[in-house]
Structures are given as C-alpha cells and as structure tokens.
Amino acid sequence: MKYHEDNLVPHKAALINPAANVVNEDVCLPAALIKKSALENNIRWMQHYADTRGVSLAPHGKTTMTPWIFQQQQQAGAWAIGVGSAWQASIAMASGIKRVLMVNQLVGKANLTLIARLKQKYPDIDYLCCVDSIANAQALSAFFNAQGQTLDVLIELGVTGGRCGCRSAAQALELAESISGLPGLRLRGLELYEGVLHGDNPQPAVEALLRDAAALACQLERFVDGEFLLTGAGSVWYDVVCNVWLAAPKPANCRIAIRPGCYITHDKGIYQQAQDALMARDSSACDAGGDLVSALELAALVQSVPEADRAIVNFGKRDSAFDAGLPQPIAHYRQGKALPAPTALMETVGIMDQHAMLKLKPGAQLQVGDVLLFSTSHPCLTFDKWQALLLVDDNYNVLAELATAF
Amino acid sequence: MKYHEDNLVPHKAALINPAANVVNEDVCLPAALIKKSALENNIRWMQHYADTRGVSLAPHGKTTMTPWIFQQQQQAGAWAIGVGSAWQASIAMASGIKRVLMVNQLVGKANLTLIARLKQKYPDIDYLCCVDSIANAQALSAFFNAQGQTLDVLIELGVTGGRCGCRSAAQALELAESISGLPGLRLRGLELYEGVLHGDNPQPAVEALLRDAAALACQLERFVDGEFLLTGAGSVWYDVVCNVWLAAPKPANCRIAIRPGCYITHDKGIYQQAQDALMARDSSACDAGGDLVSALELAALVQSVPEADRAIVNFGKRDSAFDAGLPQPIAHYRQGKALPAPTALMETVGIMDQHAMLKLKPGAQLQVGDVLLFSTSHPCLTFDKWQALLLVDDNYNVLAELATAF
C-alpha cells in the first residue's frame, strides 16, 4: 500500500538538508548510525583473523539484514553470508551474494517454493541449509527431487536442552545414512552453534561439543563427496572453535567456516564483554593488532529535563535493543558543538516505547534540545527497528542511507 | 539502496500463491497476521465506548504505524490520531489523517523543519504537540514565528519520577503565562499520560492526577481561546479518565480526548489483563456489549522436535515482542488441516533471535513442518518487526498486505 505519495520523508531518520550532519541536527532524530570507519575496521579485523587462522569467514547476515553491509563483507573476502530464513536468503541472493549459508532448517511449502525459485533464478549461487531430522530430510527430498533440483544440506548437531540439531552422533549418522538414500539431497557437512551453551563457565562444554563434532565429521566423511564443510561459531567463541577444530582429527578435505555476526558493528555491551574475554585468552587475536570497535550508535534529543536529576530522551523500545543492557550516553552536543563526554554524569536507567530516562548526577549540564549519542548493546535488535540506517563519517556527516530488509 | 531488483519477495511474509492461505503454507512463515473481523470489532467497540461516554477518541497510532489502520480508525469516527514523533506525524498526514496529536515534545532542528514543511504542505490538517518547559516553548516560538507559522501546543502535566511533563500546577501556569507572551505559539489545552503511574494499586494515584489535571485545566482556561482540549488515557485507564474528568469541574468549552493505542489489536497478555480489570470495574464498558478481542497473531512453523518434550519454532526476537510475556500457541495445523487446540499441551518457554522453544507435555502431537498460530502480548513491539503485515479473514485467507512505517 502506498502511504507516502510525496516521498517527503522516506524513513524516520529523515535528512532535511542535503549535506546532513547528525550532531548539527540536520537529521530527524532519533536515528541509528553506522560509523563507516569503525565498520570497515571490523570487517578488516575479522577477515584478517579468519585468514590468519586459515579458516573461512561466513558472517551471519541476520544481524544486519543490510544488503550494502553484506556486499562489503563479501568484497573483503567473506566466503559466504549466513542467514536464518528462506526470505533472508532471497535478500542475500538479490544483493549479489554468491554463497548463502542458511544456518537453519528449511520447512513450510512457501519457504521451499521460494528456495526452489531462487535456485532456478540464481543457478550459480551456492545455497546450503541445515537438517536435523529424517522427517525433514524426506520432505525436502520429495519436494526438490520433484523440481528436478538438488538441495545441499548440512547436518546440524545440537545439545540437550538447546535449540535444533541431532542430540547424538548416532542420530546424526542415522540421518546421514537416510540422506544418502534420498534423491534431490546432497550432504555437504556438519553445522553447530555452540552459543546455545550457557552458564558460569561454558568453555569446557563448548570445547567438548567441538571435539565431538570433529569426531562426528570424521564418521560423516564417507557420506560427503568433495569438500567437507565444518561450521560453527558466533561472535563469542570463534577463537575456541578455531583452536579445537584446527587441532582435532577431521576429514581430509575439510573447510572450517566460522560465522560471527555481531562483530560487524560490535557494541559496548554484551559483545564487548565477550570480545574482551576472547582477547584475554587468544594470542592470535592479540597478534592480529587492533580490535573490534563499536560501529552502531543511536543519536537522540533531550526533550525534557523535568527534574534536576532526570532527563527524558526521545528514543525508546521502538528504536533500540533493550534486552541486554540499555543504550548509554557517550557524547553530548549543543547546537552542533561538542560538550565534555557525559559518561560519568549521566546514565540511562529506564526505557519506554518512545522515551528513555536518564539519571543525572550533579554537574550534568543537560538542556532541552541537546543531542546525545548512545552506545548500544546487542546490535541485532537495534537493526531491526529501522528501515534505514545512516552511514556516517567520524564527524557524523551522513554519507549514505542504508536500507535494511526485515 | 535498491537491493531487490526483481521484486521476487517484497517482504518476509512473502505470498507464494496469489490466493494465499496462511495455514495452508502459501505464505513464507513466520508472518504477523491481522484478523480483519477482530480489528473491525475493536475499532467499533472503542469508538462506541467513546461515543457513549461523550468523549473524543484519538487512538495512539504509534502502536501500529500502519496507515491503512489509521484510515480505518478515522473512518469509524476517531477525532484524531496520536503519534510520538515528527516523523510519525508525517506518516499520519500523508495517510490522509485530518488531525494529528503529537503527544510528545517537538525538539531538534530537523524535526521542527519537518513539521514546518508539513504545516505548509497540509494547511488544513490540525497538528498539535506538547510542551513542558519554557526553554522548549521559547525555541518553538522563535522557529515557527520566523516561518510565519503558528504552532498549536498542549501543556503536558507529569508526575515526579515519571516521564515528561510539568511537575506542578504552578510550573504549568508559569509555562502557560510564558506561552501567552510568545509569538508563533497557541495554547490549546492540557495533556497527560496516566500510564506512567505504576505499583500494586495505582488507581488512587491515577484518579488524584486526573483530578489535579481537571483543576489545572480550569486555571489554564483563560490562556486558551475557544475549545479547551483535555487529553489522557492509554489502553489501561481510559474508563477512569472518563469517570473522573466527566464528573470534575472543568473549562466551559472542554473536549475530553482519550488515546488508547493497543486496543486496536488487543492481545492475550498484558492488555487482556488490563481490559479484564476494566470490564470488572466499568459498567459502561459492560453495557456496551461485546469486548475487545485479540487481532494480532503470529504464524510460524515447527522446524525441529529434537527432544520428546521440546520443539523449536521458526520465529524469534526478530519477529515478535518478548518483553511482556512470550507468544503462546493457540492453534495447530498440519497440511492445511486443523488439529485440536494445543494450548494445554504446549507452552513457549524460551526465545532467541530466530527461534522459539516450546515445552511439550505428553500427548502433544507435534511434527516438523506443522503450522502453529500464536497469540501475542504487547502488540507495539511486534508491529515494528514487520515491514508488512498480512490482513486475513477468519479462515486465514490473505486479504491484503498492510505496509507499516517504522
């Protein structure tokens, strides 16, 4: 339905001036910002890490669902882009991505139909998805064989109490045996997501799962023609995945692919904590030089200072993730001029749908109309609040509007 | 940026067949569904309630940000649509809405510029926003007076520890005095949002705030030419707002406007609880006949049943609100056929970005590929995950795709 015939304001972070600067209030705020230099740093850093370790990088694209970012990752050397659904796969393919790793089960008549049409439309794109049950393998076989197509699949290994995935090597082997007898399916390897393991110190369990997976891969090798793909690793344990799998016995022709997603923008919350822990334990990450830096910020306006120690800012749950710590103020501007960093004197203590509440300490010089920049925690859930993000340079000049696809 | 040149899949709930039925898997799932009959019931019910009480209805549009829904609300008799930002105001205006109540402060150069352009483009639309500080009033006056425009404003009354708004009648009167001397501003009335009051039994505090507001309105009357607008009420206390304000002394020419938002789709979580409480205390709501019903559902697919008591469904935090209770299964289909309602045998117990985890009781006959429908809690945060919602009839045939504007 066409609701905005005049195209006056294409999205909520509307650019009012052609040469827009965010901190100069040339943009309707709140807005979500991608700092280009930080993004480029992160793309380069993680690609360098993967190259140095001798593994392939398949960044999880579900984090951003931003085609321009997919393209930057691919151009920098990413071997594939990971997605979580058939529809996300369609976005990646239409964005020019050459290999799409759907790290999820493919179910549902429309989703299967969509993938069949995409395989027909983009015959050169390598598309893979995961299976963890004979029932699903049989359904996929029946459908794709009837289309005269072959679907490339990975067996997913899971853990009890976790998400998807076979719960034992025996189950996985039985599934591989089944797949080998089903037309229209081709087994390509083994997938897991170790991030489902939680607790005070999940590292031993993560390492045990990875060793089990490598051993299982050796048993599955006979079902796979050509290269065996062994893939895991979100943004928290990618070093451990490399350590264990590079050292373990595995199929002779084995490609290891890691799939971090949130590294792309990093954050100043849960992923900073995870990366700090990784840098402390992983000498190859330290040797790589530099580190990931936060690339996603929110810009918002002070709309009310109703009490001496309380300010209300005009972003809320409709604009930002709030499930893993609230966005915190990191910079303060008034009429385009930077004021001292507000971090010691202001803290975000509450959030509603359209508002955030700041607790102010004595000395916080906050006025109605001031611009604040906020760091974020858990980038995924901020991305999906925006139909467009603003790509900015280090001085917060707007370089481009980046469309998202949610 | 153009990322989907072939328009193969306009959004994630892609229709694969022209005559699409959701439970027949003709749609890429997950999808967010609006049940047309339920939506129409809710629009009718709330308009009838407001009409019966003799108050105006200004539904809060930020809930849905769905222009087609705004239009239905206006056609049914809504006096205005409420919004939370300048950009949301632009969407409402471009959707054909004739009166836009921005229940928020207007700050920031670009936001002011946008409103000025909208006032020029849509001179017949009545736009109002809130002020709660002299500093903001002065900034608005300087800007709009320089444009040769007059901005209509409401004074916001707040509570200590709450959100925006003057903290006392004295502050509000001082602000009104200031506004009366500022060119380019016209005071139209008084606004509050009683929903910021929480606690075990907030009703006495809500009633006290409403009485204070009515008394303040009498004091503000002399600053307002013509009709005095007195507005409050989210979806939880709209009966109490009517009760107190209809009974209280107030300005002679006073329009009371209530602004519920979430009633439009209702839910089976926090808003059902709120409405149940309202129906129990409000005889005029009972006398209206019928009630609000849940109009927003999620449709998703079972992608894995990895353990006897655990199933994984293909929706997650990227698709649904999760801050006020998780979506719960209410219907179960297999290959288009309804199976017994699953409510007693399945419960959603966990959610990740793309997955939800169900706990199954013995007897739950769930298979990979089954379709489940889920009720929701806190509709706002589900709406903003979707660029399009599917309008369906009672048999889940797709009637239209409704674009959202976030």
Side-chain angles (χ1 to χ4, degrees), chain B residues 291-327:
Chain B
D291 198 354
L292 300 176
V293 292
S294 176
L296 174 63
E297 296 177 2
L298 284 172
L301 290 153
V302 178
Q303 65 178 97
S304 184
V305 188
E307 300 169 31
D309 64 350
R310 190 172 184 80
I312 313 299
V313 181
N314 75 340
F315 78 87
K317 291 182 177 183
R318 313 304 291 274
D319 309 302
S320 170
F322 56 90
D323 67 327
L326 299 178

Side-chain angles (χ1 to χ4, degrees), chain A residues 188-364:
Chain A
R188 296 273 299 273
L190 183 65
E191 183 273 341
L192 61 78
Y193 174 55
E194 75 294 335
V196 295
L197 290 164
H198 288 292
D200 279 347
N201 177 21
Q203 190 170 341
V206 167
E207 291 176 345
L209 175 65
L210 293 165
R211 282 192 298 268
D212 289 350
L216 174 58
C218 295
Q219 295 181 279
L220 293 174
E221 186 176 7
R222 66 190 176 90
F223 297 103
V224 173
D225 284 334
E227 183 179 88
F228 190 103
L229 177 60
L230 182 60
T231 175
S235 294
V236 176
W237 297 111
Y238 58 88
D239 63 321
V240 172
V241 170
C242 292
N243 294 343
V244 174
W245 281 353
L246 288 168
K250 52 190 174 296
N253 182 8
C254 183
R255 178 186 297 273
I256 296 170
I258 58 173
R259 309 188 311 269
C262 289
Y263 81 91
I264 185 70
T265 61
H266 202 53
D267 68 12
K268 294 212 173 183
I270 52 172
Y271 287 101
Q272 184 176 33
Q273 292 165 23
Q275 178 74 0
D276 288 350
L278 187 147
M279 293 296 276
R281 71 183 177 239
D282 181 23
S283 62
S284 53
C286 287
D287 295 347
D291 197 355
L292 300 177
V293 292
S294 177
L296 174 62
E297 296 177 1
L298 284 173
L301 289 154
V302 177
Q303 65 179 96
S304 184
V305 187
E307 300 168 31
D309 63 350
R310 190 171 185 83
I312 313 298
V313 182
N314 75 340
F315 78 87
K317 291 181 176 183
R318 313 304 290 272
D319 310 301
S320 169
F322 56 90
D323 66 327
L326 298 179
Q328 294 297 338
I330 53 170
H332 181 191
Y333 294 82
R334 181 172 301 155
Q335 295 179 329
K337 300 277 185 297
L339 297 176
T343 44
L345 298 178
M346 309 174 191
E347 184 189 2
T348 310
V349 293
I351 193 165
M352 297 178 77
D353 271 15
Q354 307 276 157
H355 305 83
M357 286 71 162
L358 301 191
K359 171 90 176 165
L360 308 179
K361 289 190 182 157

Side-chain angles (χ1 to χ4, degrees), chain A residues 38-213:
Chain A
L39 189 88
E40 289 172 344
N41 170 81
N42 294 347
I43 290 173
R44 199 168 48 233
W45 192 95
M46 191 60 83
Q47 189 64 52
H48 179 71
Y49 182 87
D51 292 347
T52 304
R53 300 303 304 261
V55 302
S56 294
L57 181 63
H60 211 333
K62 76 164 179 60
T63 302
T64 72
M65 286 309 296
T66 304
W68 182 83
I69 295 179
F70 295 173
Q71 292 160 356
Q72 305 309 303
Q73 291 172 313
Q74 180 171 271
Q75 282 167 25
W79 177 74
I81 295 290
V83 297
S85 72
W87 182 78
Q88 290 178 359
S90 79
I91 296 295
M93 292 187 195
S95 305
I97 301 307
K98 297 303 178 197
R99 179 174 291 106
V100 177
L101 208 54
M102 184 174 133
V103 200
N104 222 345
Q105 281 66 35
L106 177 61
V107 289
K109 196 171 66 179
N111 288 329
L112 270 66
T113 303
L114 175 57
I115 293 298
R117 291 188 190 173
L118 290 166
K119 285 172 73 75
Q120 190 170 28
K121 180 173 175 65
Y122 303 105
D124 296 335
I125 295 180
D126 188 20
Y127 167 86
L128 303 94
C129 66
C130 295
V131 288
D132 68 353
S133 69
I134 292 174
N136 185 218
Q138 288 172 337
L140 294 171
S141 166
F143 180 88
F144 285 95
N145 189 50
Q147 310 284 322
Q149 293 180 329
T150 299
L151 184 72
D152 291 283
V153 298
L154 303 170
I155 288 179
E156 179 165 1
L157 181 65
V159 298
T160 301
R163 208 160 68 184
C164 306
C166 297
R167 292 316 196 231
S168 68
Q171 267 182 32
L173 285 163
E174 189 190 7
L175 177 56
E177 194 77 60
S178 169
I179 291 169
S180 72
L182 289 170
L185 293 186
R186 176 167 45 220
L187 185 62
R188 296 273 299 273
L190 183 65
E191 183 273 341
L192 61 78
Y193 174 55
E194 75 294 335
V196 295
L197 290 164
H198 288 292
D200 279 347
N201 177 21
Q203 190 170 341
V206 167
E207 291 176 345
L209 175 65
L210 293 165
R211 282 192 298 268
D212 289 350

Side-chain angles (χ1 to χ4, degrees), chain B residues 19-42:
Chain B
N21 181 286
V22 173
V23 299
N24 198 35
E25 301 172 45
D26 298 328
V27 176
C28 284
L29 301 182
L33 314 178
I34 298 287
K35 297 183 84 167
K36 186 163 189 265
S37 64
L39 189 87
E40 289 172 343
N41 170 82
N42 295 347

Side-chain angles (χ1 to χ4, degrees), chain B residues 268-287:
Chain B
K268 294 212 174 183
I270 51 172
Y271 287 101
Q272 184 175 34
Q273 292 163 23
Q275 178 74 0
D276 288 350
L278 187 146
M279 293 297 274
R281 70 182 177 240
D282 182 23
S283 63
S284 52
C286 287
D287 294 348

Side-chain angles (χ1 to χ4, degrees), chain B residues 81-376:
Chain B
I81 295 291
V83 298
S85 71
W87 181 78
Q88 291 178 359
S90 78
I91 297 294
M93 292 187 196
S95 306
I97 301 307
K98 296 304 177 197
R99 180 173 291 106
V100 177
L101 207 54
M102 183 174 136
V103 201
N104 222 346
Q105 281 66 34
L106 176 60
V107 288
K109 196 170 66 179
N111 289 330
L112 270 64
T113 303
L114 175 57
I115 293 298
R117 292 189 189 172
L118 290 166
K119 284 172 73 73
Q120 190 169 27
K121 182 175 172 64
Y122 303 105
D124 296 335
I125 296 179
D126 188 19
Y127 166 86
L128 302 95
C129 67
C130 295
V131 287
D132 68 353
S133 70
I134 292 173
N136 185 218
Q138 289 171 337
L140 293 171
S141 166
F143 181 88
F144 285 95
N145 188 50
Q147 310 285 322
Q149 293 180 329
T150 298
L151 184 72
D152 291 284
V153 298
L154 303 170
I155 289 180
E156 180 164 1
L157 180 64
V159 298
T160 300
R163 208 160 69 183
C164 306
C166 296
R167 292 317 196 228
S168 68
Q171 266 182 32
L173 284 163
E174 189 189 7
L175 177 56
E177 194 76 60
S178 169
I179 291 169
S180 71
L182 288 169
L185 294 187
R186 176 166 46 219
L187 185 63
R188 296 274 298 273
L190 183 64
E191 184 273 340
L192 60 77
Y193 174 55
E194 74 295 333
V196 295
L197 291 164
H198 288 291
D200 280 347
N201 177 22
Q203 190 169 341
V206 167
E207 291 175 348
L209 174 66
L210 293 165
R211 282 192 298 268
D212 289 348
L216 174 59
C218 294
Q219 293 181 277
L220 293 175
E221 186 177 7
R222 67 187 176 92
F223 296 104
V224 174
D225 284 335
E227 182 180 271
F228 190 103
L229 178 60
L230 182 60
T231 175
S235 294
V236 175
W237 298 111
Y238 58 88
D239 63 322
V240 173
V241 170
C242 292
N243 293 342
V244 174
W245 281 353
L246 288 168
K250 50 188 176 296
N253 183 9
C254 183
R255 179 186 295 273
I256 297 171
I258 58 173
R259 309 188 311 269
C262 290
Y263 81 91
I264 185 68
T265 61
H266 202 53
D267 68 11
K268 294 212 174 183
I270 51 172
Y271 287 101
Q272 184 175 34
Q273 292 163 23
Q275 178 74 0
D276 288 350
L278 187 146
M279 293 297 274
R281 70 182 177 240
D282 182 23
S283 63
S284 52
C286 287
D287 294 348
D291 198 354
L292 300 176
V293 292
S294 176
L296 174 63
E297 296 177 2
L298 284 172
L301 290 153
V302 178
Q303 65 178 97
S304 184
V305 188
E307 300 169 31
D309 64 350
R310 190 172 184 80
I312 313 299
V313 181
N314 75 340
F315 78 87
K317 291 182 177 183
R318 313 304 291 274
D319 309 302
S320 170
F322 56 90
D323 67 327
L326 299 178
Q328 293 298 338
I330 52 170
H332 180 191
Y333 294 83
R334 181 173 300 154
Q335 294 178 333
K337 300 275 186 299
L339 298 175
T343 43
L345 299 177
M346 310 174 190
E347 184 189 1
T348 311
V349 293
I351 193 165
M352 297 178 76
D353 271 15
Q354 307 275 158
H355 305 83
M357 286 71 163
L358 301 190
K359 170 90 176 165
L360 309 179
K361 289 190 180 157
Q365 301 290 327
L366 212 52
Q367 293 182 6
V368 172
D370 287 359
V371 172
L372 291 174
L373 302 179
F374 291 81
S375 65
T376 61

